[in-house]
Structures are given as structure tokens and as C-alpha cells.
Amino acid sequence: MSALSDSAAGFLTIAVLVVALAAVHAPLGDFMARVYTSTRHLRVERFLYRVAGIDPDAEQRWPVYARAVLGFSFVSVLFLYAFQRLQAWLPLSLGFAGVAPATAWNTAISFVTNTNWQSYSGESTMGHLVQAAGLAVQNFTSAAVGMAVAVALVRGFTRSRTERIGSFWVDLVRTCVRILLPLSVVAAVVMLLGGVVQNLAGPTAYTTIAGGTQTITGGPIASQEAIKELGTNGGGFFNANSAHPFEGPTAWVSLFQVFLMLAIPFSLPRTFGRLVGDKRHGYAVLGVMGALWLAAVSLTVWAEVTGAGAAPQAAGGAMEGKEVRFGEVLTALFGASTTSTSTGAINGAHDSLTAAGGGVAMLNMMLGEVSPGGTGSGLYGLLVLAVIAVFLAGLMVGRTPELLGKKIGKGEVTLVALYVLATPTLLLVGAALTAGIPSLRDASLQDDGAHGLSEVLYAYASASNNNGSAFAGFGAATDYQNVALALCMVFGRFVPMLLVIALAGRLASQAPVPVTAGTLPTHTPLFASLVTVVVIVVAGLTYFPALALAPIAEALS
Amino acid sequence: MSTPVLDRTSPAPDPRHHPKDDDDEGARPAVGAFDARSLVSSLPAALRKLDPRHQVKSPVMFVVWIGSALTTVYAVVDPSLFTWLVTLWLWATVVFAGLAEAVAEGRGKAQAETLRRTRSETTARKLLDRSTGQEEAVSATALRRGDLVVVEAGEVIPGDGDVVEGVASVDESAITGESAPVIREAGGDRSAVTGGTRVLSDRIVVKITAEPGSTFIDRMIALVEGSARQKTPNEIALDLLLASLTLVFLLAVVTLQPLAAYSGQAQSIPVLVALLVCLIPTTIGALLSAIGIAGMDRLVQRNVLAMSGRAVEAAGDVGVLLLDKTGTITFGNRRATALVHLDGVEPGVLADAARLSSLADETPEGRSVVELVDASRDGADDAPAGAEYVEFTAQTRMSGVDLPLGDQDDDERGTRMLRKGAASAVTAWVRAEGGEVPAALADVVDGISQSGGTPLVVAERVGDAPARVLGVIHLKDVVKPGMAARFAQLRAMGIRTVMVTGDNRLTAQAIAAEAGVDDVLAEATPEDKLALIKREQAGGRLVAMTGDGTNDAPALAQADVGVAMNSGTSAAKEAGNMVDLDSDPTKLIEVVAIGKQLLITRGALTTFSIANDVAKYFAIIPAMFAGIYPALDRLNIMGLSSPQSAILSAVIFNALVIVALIPLALRGVRYRPSSASALLRRNVLVYGLGGVVVPFIGIKAIDLLVSLIPGF
């Protein structure tokens, strides 16, 4: 392949993706807005509410909403933990024993927090039932929890003088029943057509061309794959994730997977615009997310295609660890998107990205997963950063800051400040402990020097921001890392969520401030640019010293 | 000194507003000027602020203080030139923050000193028995609320109160800086007197309304000194944000040490502290309280006393301005220019009635009616004996006179009642008195109103005959020049102006159109005003208003920014959250501008402070780590001469920028009324982009000097 056709193909791939997302974001966003504002309950939903004993028309105050989120997630963790531990006695276990306690705890938390960090190999640890009835179910619900919280925050902006921010149960059920399930079915069928495997076959031994034998497991892959991407989960059926031919058989399926992981996060701004009654606000949010994503993709592609070093130069790009079937552009696109969306699915080895490419992947996560971020978490994360931007910008126009008619006072700033503190605390403390304590370092680090530090930073960035991808050189399967990373996942998921729900409650109870010529317009390119700068500066200032010692030192060397 | 006056080119002349800073040096020291001398003279005060009990109030500066202490210990244990220089400049950072605050406070201190002198021990003549006039000499500090005191010419009024007896001219220059004496009299809206002012003529009895220690002057001293200053809501919110940023950077620096150790080179304490201090928002942290004090001070310079910082902040958010028409939008001296008699009424009868009903009316309007009639005929009669005058009230909106008919001895005599006032009030009276209102009246009234004039309808009732309308007095009101431009600016800032007037709707609308206000509250009673404020507030808008009368008090209390005129009653001054010593209602517009400027200054310097960090990273990070990874020296884009010089230069820049910005913090950033977008664009460009660029230049320049030190 010549370099020209390569970059042309890469450009075309990205262009196709952007066009597809642009086409789908308006109808999908509008549809989701209708889902969350509809007063009608579907029959199946009414059935679910009756079974669970829930009054779907009773709305919740924020503490109740928060308790529902936490309670539901806690029960999910217990259930998933038990499911894994009891695997040996369950059908379709393919003969696997129960999963070890530390791994089971880590995995349960990982899937409930939408992280889908995997410290195990799916095909050699879990049977089909655990994969399909345990992990895949969490792929739906954890994504739905994120979207519910995002919608609750939006209600904080749209409602006034009320304590109620919606019903978590209704938001959860509707997200699953009306949005995620139908879309997953369609996506799964598309993937089946593309060659993704869907069966209940056990491990089969094959004789390879070279004459050796290889054991390959089939399974309900397509159905799990669809929600894995759509719900920005990322937990693969196989250890190799989307680089496995059964998970990502062709280039266009790989591209389709990128499309799926971006579809909902890029459509939620539209939903937001609809719900607040001004599409321009949605465009502003979309603009910020889109610009950050495009910058990340461009940087990664550039880093990978022009990879420094003798081997990449000879190969016409940094091919090590790439999805060699599709070329480095698709791997770069996949990598940039999966780290921008908290998905964490991979179709190449991130550890083998160039130092700059790996650094961008790390930075994507450190931005707080807002470009466009996970399902729901991306939107609320960006809105929180917009609150910070509006606080500074609002002061600079001579008013007490306000966003969408809500004053940003002491209480709001406290919540937002804690939100911004939460993830860096987990990330930096976690990474400093592992890097600083020799025994931990020796147990988990494959490399030393700057790249070794990159592996640690990447792992904790991934866990704290609920991404789930990893630099493979980092040995996460120790008991300490299983527990520590799981703690990062739990706190990285639920502390920000709690703060967001509390913020929603505070905002909803406020009286609205009318918009005048003196109000800072928050739908303009100027304000969107300001939010973009705030996103970069907040993350950049926090992580620059650490990054300097890892990917930056590595990339400049 | 630059003043954030809304419109520098506005021709609106205001005879009551004097440039105080220039001509009243004797009465009050000129404040506002900032020079290097005030830095030096404030240094002792700044050093006193090194007390950690003071520092702990600002989380950012407290972290610097602890860092400096830590570095000092390190420098003593392991001394080197670099460590000592860093230590020195870290302490300088703390001192400079104190300096900013001390300079801001110093400007008020001189003023407070002058005020204190006026409060010097006064002896009060306490009235024990009003009927006998029995007095007792007591100390002014022994006076309690409700006590009556006598004050005569040449004496100082011992405490705040209301005149309950007598009329006197009072020299209030001690608090207002205005040397012309003012009249204070019992009853009405000019009864309030302030302790510390001097009676120039006559004798008054004053009922004390304030306990000692909480008098107006006491409050004013506390205010200008900044001793009563409490953090305002927005300031607290900003403090929280700065504290969380500080925590983020503390975290980044503390966790950096194990990462650096892992990478092969742990950093020394002074270097880590230097990095931390450079990253945390010290610039805004050091200047925040100075900005707040200076904001209040800017109001004081305009002779406005804000009773709380909260009100100043609220002023920036005001969405609706209630402006009294008279005196604010118009000059207020409406004059009678014509008499329009209705068909069937002798012109002489109307002129006579208009004159008689105005004889007791001491308002400029009333006097202008008498003058108009007298000018058209020879001789002026006094009011006939036995006339009973009906005073104007806000509720009746009419005044007039009742004259006895015929001989005084005649038992059958009736009364001739004359009334003049707002059309709606007088026609209602005519109907109530059995009369009919001719249709032609409405045309006349509307005609005058639409021309921007004020119609005063004159009616009479003679004996038992039904009342009848005689005609209309045409009063003309002159809108101050430049008001339309000011209101257009306010509109651009998103502030609606509502003109409040007792005039009828048509008159009000004609004037409103001429002045360019957005809305009108016509035929307004105090209750209407209160209701309007509540309505606007329910819609989420903040309301500002001025007032002076006792009947304004509820509205002043309800408004988010209530500016009471110093000439007004003490009830009004109690109810408002600001007092304008010049009693100039147009100053509300300046108050709004000062409130906005205060918020903008905070936002701009915060942005500047954070933007500075970019350059500091590029100075310090390569300096710290180029030893481990030589490739990181490529980040040294400023080409700083050595690692030690780079770190020291960043610390020095960080300290000096505080001093450099003190004048800006005290003066406030430039503010021109314009749309929010335009303001944001400008300020982001100046303080955001400027904040990124300036330290690159500054640190490089300092590095050039530092590199001359041997060993750097």
C-alpha cells in the first residue's frame, strides 16, 4: 500500500463515519428526547413496574434518585459476583470453575460501573451463561444508569421550583426497553451479516495451516458485541476484544463498531438541546465534543502513520500491535474513539501505540471522558465542565454566573469542584502508589522507565474514568491491582454521579433567571470554544507533570 | 483615577453631583489615587498580615504560607543560594498578598480617621420633659433609642434621629462632603438627621433612633475601614473554586514525587513547593479581598454607602431599574405653561380657581401656577380668611382649598371647594360630589398628555350645587438630555428601565417615549411600586430602585438593591441597603456599573491567574526533569538559562505579578456597557490570551537577570 492511498483511505474512512454520525444524531437524539418526556408507559414497562412494585408516575427527589442509583448498582454487583463465583454449578459453563474472588469482584464492579476492565481472558474464564446473562445484562443496565443520571441533570436545568428530578426506575427501564434493546437488535443483525459469530458452541479444536492445533470458542458474540459498543461498555467476549476475528471480522464491521460506540454519546447533545427547548445549546455541546474527538483522532492517526523509529519508518507506519488486517488508520480511529467514549473496546494493542498515540489515548480518558464520553456520562461530564466555564465567563460579563437560567452559586460550585477533584485524586494517588511502592511496581510492570510509568498511568486513568482499555504490559491480575482498580472504578463512577444528581436537585429547586441581553449566551461558538479550553486546561494542568514523565518523555526521546 | 461612569460622553449634567475628589480635600481626604508611596506605607500592615490566623482565611495564600515555612526549614537545614532565594521570594509572595489587602484598606483608613474625629465625645442636651423643657446634660454615648435631645445653632447633633420639633439648617459636610447646608424639619421626608453633623441655625428637638455604636457614622467607619467586611456570596463561591483548584494542584505535586522517584530523581522540597506555589491561583488568591474592599471603596468615592457587599454584587445582576420620573429622568421642575378652560367656564374663574387652589402648594408646580396667573393680571391677593387647605397625598393625588362663601356672620353660608390634581382623581371627586364630567375634558387631558405635558384638572363645588370641572392646567416637564442614550446602553446590558410616576398613563407614556425607557408605572402608589417589584422578582429578575420617603420604605426593603437618599427619612435609610449621600437618583446607574465591574475584575484576574500556569509549566517541568529525560529540555521553549534559574524566575514572576496587578485590582478592570458577548470576547482575549502570553515574556525577562547571579 502506498502512503498516499493509505492516507486517502484513512481520510475516507473518517469522512464516512462523520457523515453517518451526522445523519443519525438528529433522529436518534430527538427520539431519545421523546422517550424521556413521554407520559405513556409501554405494556412491557408496566409489567416490569408491577413486578418490581414501582409506581412509575412517582417522581423522586434527588436523595431518593441517588439512593435508587446506588442501590440498584450495589445489587447488580452482588448478583454478578455471585453469578461468577457459582459458575461451576450453572449450565453452559463450558466446564469452567467459579471465577476467583478477587477477579470476580473486580469484574463485577468493572461491568456495573460501565468500565468493563477485564483482568481475565473471557474465552478461558467464563461460560456462555455468565457472559450473556451476567455481563451482557450489565452492559445494558450500566449504560442505562449513565443515561438516566444525565437526563436527571438535564431536568435540573429544565425544571424550576421543584424537588423532583424524575424517576430513576422509569429512566432506567425506558432507556433499556425503548433505546438500547431495539438498537442492539438491529446492530446485532448487522454484525451477524458482517460475519460476527452467534451460537452456543463450546471450544472446538482446529488444526491450523501450520499444522498445530488451536482451540477456538464460539458463543453468543454478536448479541453481546452490539451492546458492548452501543453502551460504551467495551468488555469483549474474547481477550483480544474486537481484534478477534469473531468479534471484528472485517474492516467495515470494525468501522461499524466505532460508529456504534459514538452513536449515542454524539446524539445525546441533541436530546439535551431538545429537552432544554433550544437546539442551539445541543449544537454547542456537540461542537465541543466533536472538536475534541476529531482532534484526538487526527493526532492519533498522525502519530501512528508517521510513527517515529526505524521499524515504523520501514513499514510505512507503526504497525506493531495494529489490527494488521485493516491498517493503522482504522486502529488509530478505533483507539481514539474507544478512549474518547469510555468504551475501552480495542481492535489493536494500545500498549503498542506510538508514545504520542498512547499519550493521546491516555489524555482522552483524563479529559474526564467528555469527547463525547460514555453513554450519559459524557453529557453530564461536559455539562459539569460547562458550569465551571460559565462561572469564569459569567463573572467576566459582570453578572453572577448562570447557565440555562440557573444561578451558579456557592452550592453549585462546591458540587462541581468536588466532581473535578474526584477522578484526578483516584488516578494520581492510585498511580503514585503503584509506581512508588517497589513491590507493587515489580508485580505489575512489564517495562521500566517512561513506558512503564505510562502503563501505570494508563491503567489508573482507565479505571478511574471507567474506560476499561489497558496497556497490556501492565499486569492487573494481582490481588492488589484487582482490588485497587476496582475501588477506582467504584469511586470514579459513583462519586461523580452522586455529585451530578445532587447538582440536578439543587438546580431544579431554583427559580429561573430570565434571559436578557446581559445574560452570557451559552450556545455560541465563543462559549463552546471556552468550554473546550476549560476541558483541556483542567485536565492538562492536572496531569501535565505526570504525563511529562511518561508519554511526553517517551515521545520526545 | 479612572471612573467606570456608564457613559463618559453623556451630556447629562447633574447640578447636584460635584467632583468630590477635587474640591473637598478639607472635609474628606481624596481617595482612589494609587502610587508607589502607598505600597511602602502599607508595608508594616502587610507584614502584620503574615500572622497565620489571618492567612487561614484565604486557602490559597495559606498554602503558600505553609509552603514558605516548609522551605525555610529546609533552607536552614540544607542551605544553598538557590534555596534561600526561593524561600525569600515565596515569603515575598505572601507579603505581597497582604500588601494588596493593606493598600486597599489603607485608602479607607484615612477616611475613617476623619469620620472618627467628627464623632469625638459630644455632650447631649437630653430633654427630660417636653412640656416643661427640662434638660439634662449627658454624654452622647449614654443616649438610647427614643430619647429626645435639644440641639441649637452651633451644636453637634449627638446621634442619629428624626427631627420632631422645629426647623434648622444643618451642615452635613462631615459625612457627605457637601459644604452647602441642608434644611431639616419636623414631619415629612426631610426629618432625618445624622449624628456628628452640625446645626447651623435655629433649634430642633431630635428623637434618637439609633443606639450608640450602631449609628450611621459608626457603620460608615466600619464600612470604609473594611472591618465589617464579610465575604459576599459570589466571593465565597469563587473561594471554593480556588480552594478546589489548589487541592488539585496539591494533589498533582504530592503524587509527582513518587513518580519522579520512580523515574530516577526525587525532587527537593523547595523545588516542589516552588512548583506548587506557581501552579495554585496565587494571583487571584492574593488580590481577591483587595478587589472586594476596593469595590466598596469605589462606591464610597461616589458618595454611596453600601450597607453590605451582597448589595454591591446584586447590583451587577440587576435586571430591572425602577427610576422615579421626577428628578431622575426629568429635571423635575415642571412648570405651568397654560390654562385650558372648558366651554362654558369663564377664563377668569379658572385662573382664579387655579391660583387659589395652589396658594398653599409649596411645590415648584404649585408655585408655577400662581406665578402664571399673577403674570397675566395685575396685583395679587392673598388667600381669603377662613380658607382651609387640603394637602396633597399620594393616595388622593389632589390638593385644594375650601373657602367660606359670603359673610362670616351668615349662618347659611356654604363652602366653595376647589380641587386640582390628576385627571382620574379629580374626575372621581367631581362624580362623587354629584357633578358630571364633560366629554371635552378627556380630549384636553389626552392632548396635553400626548404632548408630554402633565394635565392638572381644576374643579369646584359651590355650596350645594353639583361639582363641575373648570379646566386644565398644562404643566410641562423637561426630560434631561442624554437620558435616551443611557437607557439604550442599559438595554444593551440587559437591564430594563421602568419609569415610576404619579402621572396619568398618557402623560407617563409621552415622557417615557421621549426618554426612551422600556416600561412605565403610571399613577403609581407606593403599593403599586411594591407590587411591581414583587412581580419582577417572581419572574427571577433582580430589581434596583431609589427612594427617599417613608412610604418608599417597604419597596426599598423589598428591592434587591435599594438606594435610599441621604436627604430622605430614616425609615427609608433603614430599609435600603445603600445610602446615597448626594441624594442623586441617577447614581443608581453608576452603582450597577460598579457592581458589574467588581464581578468582572474577579473573573478576569481568575482567568489570568489560571492562564499563567501554562507558561509556568513550560518553565518548571523541563527544569525539574530534563536531568532524567534530556529530551524534555525540548519543552524549554523559552530557552531559560539553567534549571535553577528557570524555577527561581517562575517564582519571582509569580510574586511580582501580584504587585503589578494591585492597581488593576483597586481600580477595577475597564468596563464599558455592552452586550455580554462583546464583554466576554474582550475579556477572554485580554485576560485569557494575555494571561497565557505575558508570563512567557515575563519569566524570560526575569531569567535574563537571574542568570547574571553567579551560580545560576
Side-chain angles (χ1 to χ4, degrees), chain B residues 582-608:
Chain B
D582 295 338
S583 306
D584 169 10
T586 50
K587 215 181 276 173
L588 198 49
I589 299 173
E590 282 177 48
V591 170
V592 168
I594 290 171
K596 285 193 177 292
Q597 199 190 22
L598 176 71
L599 293 172
I600 294 176
T601 307
R602 272 189 208 142
L605 289 182
T606 307
T607 308
F608 184 83

mmCIF file of all heavy atoms in Angstrom, chain B residues 582-608:
data_model
loop_
_atom_site.group_PDB
_atom_site.id
_atom_site.type_symbol
_atom_site.label_atom_id
_atom_site.label_comp_id
_atom_site.label_asym_id
_atom_site.label_seq_id
_atom_site.Cartn_x
_atom_site.Cartn_y
_atom_site.Cartn_z
ATOM 1 N N ASP B 582 -25.223 61.947 48.223
ATOM 2 C CA ASP B 582 -25.536 63.090 47.363
ATOM 3 C C ASP B 582 -27.018 63.183 47.053
ATOM 4 O O ASP B 582 -27.451 64.120 46.418
ATOM 5 C CB ASP B 582 -24.798 62.973 46.019
ATOM 6 C CG ASP B 582 -23.302 63.057 46.195
ATOM 7 O OD1 ASP B 582 -22.872 63.594 47.219
ATOM 8 O OD2 ASP B 582 -22.586 62.575 45.308
ATOM 9 N N SER B 583 -27.773 62.167 47.434
ATOM 10 C CA SER B 583 -29.200 62.122 47.122
ATOM 11 C C SER B 583 -29.450 62.338 45.632
ATOM 12 O O SER B 583 -30.283 63.124 45.237
ATOM 13 C CB SER B 583 -29.965 63.165 47.939
ATOM 14 O OG SER B 583 -29.689 62.991 49.307
ATOM 15 N N ASP B 584 -28.687 61.615 44.833
ATOM 16 C CA ASP B 584 -28.809 61.766 43.383
ATOM 17 C C ASP B 584 -29.360 60.463 42.792
ATOM 18 O O ASP B 584 -28.654 59.475 42.722
ATOM 19 C CB ASP B 584 -27.410 62.067 42.812
ATOM 20 C CG ASP B 584 -27.387 61.986 41.296
ATOM 21 O OD1 ASP B 584 -28.468 61.896 40.692
ATOM 22 O OD2 ASP B 584 -26.281 62.020 40.737
ATOM 23 N N PRO B 585 -30.617 60.472 42.388
ATOM 24 C CA PRO B 585 -31.232 59.214 41.953
ATOM 25 C C PRO B 585 -30.592 58.610 40.707
ATOM 26 O O PRO B 585 -30.678 57.397 40.497
ATOM 27 C CB PRO B 585 -32.685 59.584 41.677
ATOM 28 C CG PRO B 585 -32.877 60.954 42.218
ATOM 29 C CD PRO B 585 -31.544 61.599 42.315
ATOM 30 N N THR B 586 -29.959 59.428 39.860
ATOM 31 C CA THR B 586 -29.386 58.842 38.648
ATOM 32 C C THR B 586 -28.162 57.990 38.980
ATOM 33 O O THR B 586 -27.675 57.250 38.147
ATOM 34 C CB THR B 586 -28.922 59.927 37.650
ATOM 35 O OG1 THR B 586 -28.122 60.852 38.355
ATOM 36 C CG2 THR B 586 -30.081 60.616 37.001
ATOM 37 N N LYS B 587 -27.692 58.080 40.210
ATOM 38 C CA LYS B 587 -26.478 57.357 40.547
ATOM 39 C C LYS B 587 -26.683 55.842 40.547
ATOM 40 O O LYS B 587 -25.726 55.074 40.490
ATOM 41 C CB LYS B 587 -25.969 57.822 41.898
ATOM 42 C CG LYS B 587 -24.469 57.813 41.934
ATOM 43 C CD LYS B 587 -23.950 58.229 43.239
ATOM 44 C CE LYS B 587 -23.875 59.712 43.342
ATOM 45 N NZ LYS B 587 -23.520 60.092 44.704
ATOM 46 N N LEU B 588 -27.930 55.444 40.598
ATOM 47 C CA LEU B 588 -28.240 54.017 40.534
ATOM 48 C C LEU B 588 -27.548 53.366 39.351
ATOM 49 O O LEU B 588 -27.074 52.231 39.429
ATOM 50 C CB LEU B 588 -29.762 53.877 40.404
ATOM 51 C CG LEU B 588 -30.384 52.542 40.737
ATOM 52 C CD1 LEU B 588 -29.885 52.026 42.059
ATOM 53 C CD2 LEU B 588 -31.893 52.687 40.766
ATOM 54 N N ILE B 589 -27.479 54.102 38.259
ATOM 55 C CA ILE B 589 -26.863 53.560 37.046
ATOM 56 C C ILE B 589 -25.386 53.311 37.279
ATOM 57 O O ILE B 589 -24.835 52.292 36.864
ATOM 58 C CB ILE B 589 -27.115 54.527 35.876
ATOM 59 C CG1 ILE B 589 -28.632 54.664 35.663
ATOM 60 C CG2 ILE B 589 -26.440 54.045 34.608
ATOM 61 C CD1 ILE B 589 -29.033 55.703 34.654
ATOM 62 N N GLU B 590 -24.744 54.219 38.009
ATOM 63 C CA GLU B 590 -23.328 54.026 38.316
ATOM 64 C C GLU B 590 -23.133 52.867 39.275
ATOM 65 O O GLU B 590 -22.157 52.119 39.185
ATOM 66 C CB GLU B 590 -22.754 55.301 38.947
ATOM 67 C CG GLU B 590 -22.463 56.379 37.941
ATOM 68 C CD GLU B 590 -21.973 57.637 38.624
ATOM 69 O OE1 GLU B 590 -21.084 57.525 39.472
ATOM 70 O OE2 GLU B 590 -22.513 58.710 38.326
ATOM 71 N N VAL B 591 -24.069 52.724 40.211
ATOM 72 C CA VAL B 591 -23.968 51.629 41.176
ATOM 73 C C VAL B 591 -23.986 50.288 40.446
ATOM 74 O O VAL B 591 -23.207 49.377 40.756
ATOM 75 C CB VAL B 591 -25.124 51.719 42.204
ATOM 76 C CG1 VAL B 591 -25.173 50.473 43.060
ATOM 77 C CG2 VAL B 591 -24.956 52.947 43.070
ATOM 78 N N VAL B 592 -24.855 50.186 39.450
ATOM 79 C CA VAL B 592 -24.917 48.959 38.660
ATOM 80 C C VAL B 592 -23.578 48.713 37.969
ATOM 81 O O VAL B 592 -23.036 47.601 37.976
ATOM 82 C CB VAL B 592 -26.058 49.048 37.622
ATOM 83 C CG1 VAL B 592 -25.952 47.915 36.613
ATOM 84 C CG2 VAL B 592 -27.403 49.008 38.313
ATOM 85 N N ALA B 593 -23.017 49.772 37.407
ATOM 86 C CA ALA B 593 -21.743 49.630 36.705
ATOM 87 C C ALA B 593 -20.641 49.182 37.658
ATOM 88 O O ALA B 593 -19.816 48.326 37.315
ATOM 89 C CB ALA B 593 -21.368 50.956 36.048
ATOM 90 N N ILE B 594 -20.655 49.705 38.880
ATOM 91 C CA ILE B 594 -19.621 49.322 39.850
ATOM 92 C C ILE B 594 -19.786 47.865 40.247
ATOM 93 O O ILE B 594 -18.810 47.122 40.374
ATOM 94 C CB ILE B 594 -19.681 50.259 41.081
ATOM 95 C CG1 ILE B 594 -19.196 51.645 40.678
ATOM 96 C CG2 ILE B 594 -18.831 49.703 42.212
ATOM 97 C CD1 ILE B 594 -19.404 52.695 41.735
ATOM 98 N N GLY B 595 -21.034 47.440 40.422
ATOM 99 C CA GLY B 595 -21.291 46.036 40.753
ATOM 100 C C GLY B 595 -20.767 45.115 39.667
ATOM 101 O O GLY B 595 -20.113 44.106 39.940
ATOM 102 N N LYS B 596 -21.038 45.487 38.428
ATOM 103 C CA LYS B 596 -20.573 44.662 37.310
ATOM 104 C C LYS B 596 -19.053 44.654 37.258
ATOM 105 O O LYS B 596 -18.423 43.620 37.061
ATOM 106 C CB LYS B 596 -21.136 45.184 35.992
ATOM 107 C CG LYS B 596 -22.602 44.850 35.804
ATOM 108 C CD LYS B 596 -23.025 45.088 34.376
ATOM 109 C CE LYS B 596 -24.478 44.679 34.160
ATOM 110 N NZ LYS B 596 -24.692 43.238 34.259
ATOM 111 N N GLN B 597 -18.488 45.818 37.455
ATOM 112 C CA GLN B 597 -17.031 45.931 37.381
ATOM 113 C C GLN B 597 -16.366 45.048 38.429
ATOM 114 O O GLN B 597 -15.337 44.417 38.170
ATOM 115 C CB GLN B 597 -16.660 47.389 37.596
ATOM 116 C CG GLN B 597 -15.286 47.714 37.104
ATOM 117 C CD GLN B 597 -14.862 49.089 37.544
ATOM 118 O OE1 GLN B 597 -15.384 49.625 38.513
ATOM 119 N NE2 GLN B 597 -13.919 49.651 36.846
ATOM 120 N N LEU B 598 -16.977 44.989 39.598
ATOM 121 C CA LEU B 598 -16.438 44.162 40.682
ATOM 122 C C LEU B 598 -16.387 42.697 40.257
ATOM 123 O O LEU B 598 -15.369 42.014 40.421
ATOM 124 C CB LEU B 598 -17.323 44.341 41.920
ATOM 125 C CG LEU B 598 -16.993 43.488 43.137
ATOM 126 C CD1 LEU B 598 -15.711 43.977 43.768
ATOM 127 C CD2 LEU B 598 -18.118 43.554 44.153
ATOM 128 N N LEU B 599 -17.489 42.227 39.689
ATOM 129 C CA LEU B 599 -17.539 40.826 39.272
ATOM 130 C C LEU B 599 -16.573 40.566 38.117
ATOM 131 O O LEU B 599 -15.877 39.546 38.081
ATOM 132 C CB LEU B 599 -18.966 40.453 38.847
ATOM 133 C CG LEU B 599 -19.999 40.464 39.978
ATOM 134 C CD1 LEU B 599 -21.396 40.267 39.433
ATOM 135 C CD2 LEU B 599 -19.695 39.371 40.989
ATOM 136 N N ILE B 600 -16.519 41.500 37.169
ATOM 137 C CA ILE B 600 -15.642 41.313 36.014
ATOM 138 C C ILE B 600 -14.190 41.256 36.472
ATOM 139 O O ILE B 600 -13.404 40.436 35.988
ATOM 140 C CB ILE B 600 -15.835 42.454 34.991
ATOM 141 C CG1 ILE B 600 -17.244 42.387 34.409
ATOM 142 C CG2 ILE B 600 -14.804 42.354 33.873
ATOM 143 C CD1 ILE B 600 -17.569 43.518 33.469
ATOM 144 N N THR B 601 -13.831 42.125 37.431
ATOM 145 C CA THR B 601 -12.450 42.140 37.904
ATOM 146 C C THR B 601 -12.077 40.780 38.498
ATOM 147 O O THR B 601 -11.008 40.236 38.219
ATOM 148 C CB THR B 601 -12.257 43.256 38.948
ATOM 149 O OG1 THR B 601 -12.731 44.478 38.390
ATOM 150 C CG2 THR B 601 -10.804 43.401 39.324
ATOM 151 N N ARG B 602 -12.979 40.228 39.289
ATOM 152 C CA ARG B 602 -12.727 38.907 39.854
ATOM 153 C C ARG B 602 -12.552 37.862 38.765
ATOM 154 O O ARG B 602 -11.609 37.070 38.779
ATOM 155 C CB ARG B 602 -13.914 38.482 40.720
ATOM 156 C CG ARG B 602 -13.794 38.950 42.120
ATOM 157 C CD ARG B 602 -14.906 38.298 42.937
ATOM 158 N NE ARG B 602 -15.222 39.181 44.039
ATOM 159 C CZ ARG B 602 -16.437 39.397 44.495
ATOM 160 N NH1 ARG B 602 -17.470 38.787 43.930
ATOM 161 N NH2 ARG B 602 -16.626 40.193 45.500
ATOM 162 N N GLY B 603 -13.482 37.843 37.812
ATOM 163 C CA GLY B 603 -13.434 36.835 36.758
ATOM 164 C C GLY B 603 -12.181 36.982 35.913
ATOM 165 O O GLY B 603 -11.512 35.996 35.585
ATOM 166 N N ALA B 604 -11.856 38.234 35.580
ATOM 167 C CA ALA B 604 -10.720 38.469 34.694
ATOM 168 C C ALA B 604 -9.415 38.038 35.364
ATOM 169 O O ALA B 604 -8.575 37.375 34.750
ATOM 170 C CB ALA B 604 -10.653 39.950 34.325
ATOM 171 N N LEU B 605 -9.250 38.380 36.646
ATOM 172 C CA LEU B 605 -7.999 38.033 37.306
ATOM 173 C C LEU B 605 -7.907 36.533 37.592
ATOM 174 O O LEU B 605 -6.819 35.961 37.596
ATOM 175 C CB LEU B 605 -7.830 38.847 38.593
ATOM 176 C CG LEU B 605 -7.544 40.335 38.339
ATOM 177 C CD1 LEU B 605 -7.331 41.082 39.632
ATOM 178 C CD2 LEU B 605 -6.337 40.513 37.436
ATOM 179 N N THR B 606 -9.046 35.873 37.809
ATOM 180 C CA THR B 606 -9.023 34.413 37.968
ATOM 181 C C THR B 606 -8.568 33.769 36.664
ATOM 182 O O THR B 606 -7.707 32.876 36.654
ATOM 183 C CB THR B 606 -10.422 33.897 38.351
ATOM 184 O OG1 THR B 606 -10.884 34.608 39.478
ATOM 185 C CG2 THR B 606 -10.371 32.413 38.668
ATOM 186 N N THR B 607 -9.159 34.226 35.575
ATOM 187 C CA THR B 607 -8.780 33.689 34.276
ATOM 188 C C THR B 607 -7.298 33.922 34.004
ATOM 189 O O THR B 607 -6.574 33.022 33.572
ATOM 190 C CB THR B 607 -9.623 34.355 33.174
ATOM 191 O OG1 THR B 607 -10.995 34.234 33.532
ATOM 192 C CG2 THR B 607 -9.385 33.708 31.833
ATOM 193 N N PHE B 608 -6.855 35.133 34.294
ATOM 194 C CA PHE B 608 -5.449 35.483 34.100
ATOM 195 C C PHE B 608 -4.561 34.546 34.918
ATOM 196 O O PHE B 608 -3.574 33.991 34.429
ATOM 197 C CB PHE B 608 -5.231 36.945 34.523
ATOM 198 C CG PHE B 608 -3.840 37.458 34.291
ATOM 199 C CD1 PHE B 608 -3.466 37.932 33.039
ATOM 200 C CD2 PHE B 608 -2.909 37.455 35.305
ATOM 201 C CE1 PHE B 608 -2.189 38.404 32.813
ATOM 202 C CE2 PHE B 608 -1.623 37.918 35.092
ATOM 203 C CZ PHE B 608 -1.262 38.390 33.836
#
